[in-house]
Amino acid sequence: MDIWESFKMAGRTLSANRMRSSLTMLGIIIGNASVIAMIGVGQGAQRYAAEQFQSLGTDVIFVITGTDNARRNVIAPPNRLVLADAEALATQIGVVRAVAPQINGSELVIAGNNTRRATIIGTTPSYSEVRNADVSSGRFFNADDVRRNARVVTIGSALSRELFPQGNPVGQQVRIRGTSYEIIGVMAEKGAFLGTNQDDTLFMPISTVTNRLVGQRTSPYGVAIQVINVSARSPREVAVAEFQIANLLRLRHQTTGDAAEETFTIRTQRDALEIVGNITRALTIMLAAIAGISLLVGGIGIMNIMLVSVTERTQEIGLRKAIGASQSDILSQFMIEAVILSLLGGLVGTGIGVGGVLLVAIATPLQAGVSLAAIGLAVGVSGSIGLFFGVYPARQAARLDPIVALRSV
Amino acid sequence: MLIHPTPPSLDPATPPQTQVVALEDVSKTYGLGDTLVTALDHVSFGIGATEYCSIMGASGSGKSTCMNVIGCLDRPTSGRYYLDGQDVSCLNEQDLAMIRNLKIGFIFQQYHLLPQLSALENVMLPMAYAGVSGKERRDRAAEALIRVGMGNRLNNRPNQLSGGQQQRVAIARAIVNRPVILLADEPTGALDSRTTQEVLHLFGELHASGITVIMVTHEPDVARQTRRIIWFQDGRVIHPYLKPEDLKSVL
């Protein structure tokens, strides 16, 4: 019997048992739909995370004081990253576009009757450029403000809403440690990201922080700073900049490249992007694997039904053999039935999965996308599941003795 | 170069050309040692072309086993079986399937029509396994159904047909590949006496048109309508050429 004939025959048999066939397919449908939806959602999360990082700028390099090792010590070594280091980076390294030193603190901020504890970041106007941090109203402080130790601040959007629930805070005053500061700008909303909420932060000129809050000699080496935010001239020059920064700082701190002596840590967006990419990729694989289990269960469902079908249709098999069907005819007949069930289920499941992914893309910020690879994988896998789980029942059928099969009632 | 056609052999070892079924010393045993069952015990007989005969015997006499051997559903343990002049006793599974397909037409007590197919499609089935083209298949199936008087029921499903009609469809399916022998296993076992007569009449017609019909039955009334009875007892053929009118003496 030729293959087209076998397909037509299998179609007739399956449609004669419509209820059973569709229930059998349901397992594969669910499995397939969930694989495609899960991969779609996982990749959406991956893209979402990558985009969040991109919004911070791909050319950004963070120079952080101390090393993971040093921070673990009971008595922390003195902070060696100082303001002068930041100035040196800005003037001596060519591939650097902008440098923004950063002092972190935490203070009570009072506005009228409202008090909030907020993260204070003392920095320079370059911060806005390096970190893609723009104001939504007012302005960021400028070089003059820094030079004059001006008592001006820009505040994050969430902090602004909490301290000034009634409206625009620009031009109003906040009090920190008994001193009044004028709010000159509100930062655009950025959202919480990896533990720090930039919307809850208050930005102040770095000179104002050193003069009024922390003092001028916070380290034996000068004004201690926690982070230097650097942006390379272009994303391609990040690696070069990283190398030159490390060299220059080692020279200034008179250390070798020895890990035990290291006084700073350099992180780039690329490192972070890679880590997050790895995490979300693992997440996607995990989701797909869980969904894959339901595909497996669907496959076992097919095998189960095909086994029942072989038992039920023993007489049919006997008859077919009596009128000239060879073992391979019977084998291919049952295999084709199993493959049709799984492929059809796979296609329907793909449709549902794609629909689900599109729904997620519309309803959530995750840019869930339908990947052709996921569809190919799911349909391919369900087709081969049909083959794999169809083999055993089909062999049972093909091996039946026609005499016994015909006599069974 | 000259090709000399081989003249028909007169050697008694080869079966005569006119015999479509020839069993030579055929034995069939099941099991081993103490549980050894001998279903056929050195059976030898022949059935000529265009004969109309029935195989009878008590249950357990070996008539069913003999039919399975004749129908190439089973292979003899020893001995030779020639079907249409070809030794089929040592063919493999694949070749036996082909022999069943092309040379044997089966008719069963339970009709064994596929419920999901129409009468026409049921009759087309053996030709599908023979690799006949779709168009020819349809034409020949319709022709066979007309021949058994089912020309007006081509598209009915088996469950829309009476028992007698289903058996007619089954007969059409058996003859559609123009087999050498028609092998009927209790073909009237599930039918009432009127439809039994109709079906037997159909067998008579088919025989008259030149088809060899072999029928296994335990009903003397049915067997009497054939021309020859082969009587089995304890795995042996007791009467290889029993005339229907002599059946009473055996019973």
Side-chain angles (χ1 to χ4, degrees):
Chain A
M1 201 188 270
D2 67 76
I3 199 86
W4 172 235
E5 202 63 42
S6 310
F7 267 98
K8 273 203 303 201
M9 183 63 71
R12 294 299 296 272
T13 308
L14 292 176
S15 57
N17 258 318
R18 209 163 286 134
M19 184 70 181
R20 172 192 287 185
S21 302
S22 33
L23 282 177
T24 310
M25 276 192 289
L26 196 60
I28 292 290
I29 290 174
I30 291 173
N32 237 309
S34 43
V35 166
I36 286 176
M38 288 302 128
I39 291 181
V41 169
Q43 287 183 339
Q46 223 163 309
R47 262 194 291 270
Y48 179 71
E51 206 167 82
Q52 291 284 305
F53 268 99
Q54 236 103 58
S55 74
L56 297 178
T58 47
D59 52 2
V60 178
I61 302 160
F62 301 104
V63 185
I64 302 159
T65 188
T67 58
D68 289 341
N69 251 342
R71 272 190 283 277
R72 262 181 237 119
N73 290 347
V74 181
I75 303 165
N79 203 335
R80 294 193 62 171
L81 208 57
V82 293
L83 201 50
D85 287 329
E87 280 152 16
L89 293 187
T91 52
Q92 292 177 34
I93 294 177
V95 291
V96 152
R97 192 182 60 209
V99 174
Q102 175 179 338
I103 297 173
N104 296 337
S106 176
E107 299 290 343
L108 282 177
V109 181
I110 304 162
N113 292 329
N114 296 320
T115 305
R116 287 282 179 281
R117 179 159 285 276
T119 307
I120 308 273
I121 288 179
T123 184
T124 61
S126 311
Y127 184 88
S128 163
E129 185 191 345
V130 177
R131 297 289 297 266
N132 272 335
D134 274 328
V135 288
S136 62
S137 64
R139 63 176 179 88
F140 204 71
F141 45 80
N142 57 30
D144 281 346
D145 296 323
V146 175
R147 200 166 45 246
R148 295 201 313 254
N149 308 336
R151 285 180 291 142
V152 293
V153 294
T154 59
I155 66 174
S157 54
L159 189 62
S160 150
R161 270 195 304 277
E162 285 171 354
L163 292 176
F164 300 96
Q166 67 280 12
N168 186 12
V170 176
Q172 311 223 40
Q173 304 282 321
V174 289
R175 293 181 70 79
I176 300 166
R177 288 209 205 161
T179 310
S180 282
Y181 296 84
E182 187 193 350
I183 297 172
I184 56 168
V186 178
M187 303 303 290
E189 199 141 349
K190 272 208 141 179
F193 193 61
L194 291 188
T196 60
N197 190 346
Q198 303 183 49
D199 296 342
D200 270 342
T201 307
L202 190 141
F203 297 91
M204 202 182 272
I206 192 161
S207 53
T208 314
V209 172
T210 53
N211 283 322
R212 300 198 177 274
L213 297 176
V214 296
Q216 288 287 6
R217 281 195 72 82
T218 40
S219 155
Y221 308 97
V223 178
I225 56 177
Q226 275 80 46
V227 181
I228 307 175
N229 300 285
V230 183
S231 71
R233 219 160 40 188
S234 73
R236 276 183 294 114
E237 283 166 311
V238 167
V240 180
E242 200 183 335
F243 178 76
Q244 294 186 4
I245 289 167
N247 267 349
L248 181 60
L249 290 179
R250 280 179 200 132
L251 262 172
R252 291 177 58 83
H253 297 175
Q254 295 173 348
T255 59
T256 60
D258 201 43
E261 287 188 339
E262 208 69 288
T263 54
F264 58 91
T265 312
I266 295 182
R267 296 231 191 286
T268 62
Q269 290 290 47
R270 192 159 310 170
D271 299 338
L273 201 61
E274 231 162 66
I275 291 166
V276 170
N278 284 341
I279 292 169
T280 48
R281 219 179 347 269
L283 208 72
T284 305
I285 291 169
M286 195 187 76
L287 286 175
I290 291 171
I293 289 173
S294 59
L295 205 55
L296 188 77
V297 173
I300 293 170
I302 285 189
M303 177 151 86
N304 190 16
I305 289 297
M306 292 311 292
L307 280 174
V308 171
S309 178
V310 169
T311 314
E312 250 184 23
R313 287 154 67 195
T314 305
Q315 290 207 10
E316 173 186 333
I317 296 160
L319 180 272
R320 283 179 185 275
K321 285 195 157 186
I323 64 172
S326 62
Q327 285 205 2
S328 60
D329 284 329
I330 300 291
L331 187 81
S332 63
Q333 182 192 339
F334 279 85
M335 292 292 292
I336 286 170
E337 280 181 28
V339 169
I340 286 181
L341 280 179
S342 58
L343 268 186
L344 212 59
L347 289 176
V348 174
T350 300
I352 293 174
V354 168
V357 166
L358 294 180
L359 208 69
V360 167
I362 292 167
T364 71
L366 296 183
Q367 302 169 356
V370 181
S371 80
L372 281 178
I375 293 177
L377 184 82
V379 173
V381 165
S382 56
S384 25
I385 274 179
L387 273 178
F388 181 78
F389 288 106
V391 165
Y392 179 69
R395 278 170 66 107
Q396 297 288 98
R399 282 178 177 173
L400 276 179
D401 181 350
I403 300 166
V404 178
L406 280 168
R407 293 234 181 279
S408 78
V409 180
Chain B
M1 193 203 281
L2 284 171
I3 297 166
H4 300 282
T6 331
S9 169
L10 296 175
D11 185 350
T14 57
Q17 288 297 316
T18 50
Q19 294 217 325
V20 284
V21 170
L23 276 72
E24 286 183 0
D25 206 24
V26 165
S27 291
K28 180 74 192 176
T29 55
Y30 298 101
L32 284 168
D34 291 345
T35 60
L36 188 80
V37 176
T38 306
L40 290 178
D41 189 6
H42 302 283
V43 169
S44 299
F45 68 88
I47 296 171
T50 75
E51 261 197 87
Y52 184 14
C53 67
S54 49
I55 295 175
M56 289 196 77
S59 37
S61 61
K63 63 180 194 302
S64 289
T65 307
C66 182
M67 201 209 68
N68 290 337
V69 170
I70 293 173
C72 293
L73 291 169
D74 211 347
R75 267 171 290 207
T77 313
S78 65
R80 300 238 159 259
Y81 167 36
Y82 297 90
L83 175 67
D84 199 20
Q86 182 185 6
D87 185 358
V88 294
S89 37
C90 49
L91 291 182
N92 64 22
E93 185 57 43
Q94 183 85 25
D95 293 335
L96 282 181
M98 208 170 78
I99 297 275
R100 289 197 292 268
N101 184 231
L102 297 173
K103 299 205 166 176
I104 300 166
F106 283 97
I107 296 152
F108 305 96
Q109 181 176 0
Q110 299 298 334
Y111 329 128
H112 286 310
L113 299 177
L114 300 192
Q116 70 267 35
L117 303 181
S118 70
L120 188 70
E121 288 163 330
N122 264 294
V123 177
M124 284 162 68
L125 201 55
M127 290 184 283
Y129 288 118
V132 177
S133 75
K135 170 87 175 72
E136 188 187 347
R137 225 184 290 169
R138 198 162 283 275
D139 293 346
R140 271 167 63 182
E143 196 182 300
L145 279 164
I146 290 166
R147 194 168 169 192
V148 298
M150 293 292 293
N152 54 346
R153 296 295 177 107
L154 298 186
N155 295 313
N156 287 53
R157 295 281 175 90
N159 58 10
Q160 297 166 319
L161 300 172
S162 70
Q165 289 172 326
Q166 289 188 53
Q167 194 59 298
R168 282 168 184 271
V169 175
I171 292 169
R173 181 180 61 192
I175 61 174
V176 79
N177 258 355
R178 296 160 194 151
V180 179
I181 53 169
L182 210 53
L183 204 54
D185 184 8
E186 304 275 9
T188 59
L191 301 175
D192 61 36
S193 54
R194 198 172 59 81
T195 31
T196 296
Q197 280 315 310
E198 284 174 20
V199 166
L200 287 176
H201 183 69
L202 189 55
F203 277 125
E205 276 178 23
L206 292 173
H207 166 243
S209 72
I211 296 178
T212 310
V213 181
I214 304 167
M215 194 189 295
V216 173
T217 183
H218 65 271
E219 293 173 77
D221 290 343
V222 171
R224 268 192 204 101
Q225 305 206 15
T226 63
R227 303 296 160 81
R228 168 191 170 190
I229 295 167
I230 301 166
W231 189 270
F232 271 79
Q233 192 177 315
D234 300 331
R236 293 165 190 264
V237 177
I238 305 292
H239 303 289
Y241 285 97
L242 196 62
K243 291 259 184 287
E245 46 272 27
D246 299 335
L247 185 58
K248 196 160 271 171
S249 61
V250 182
L251 292 168

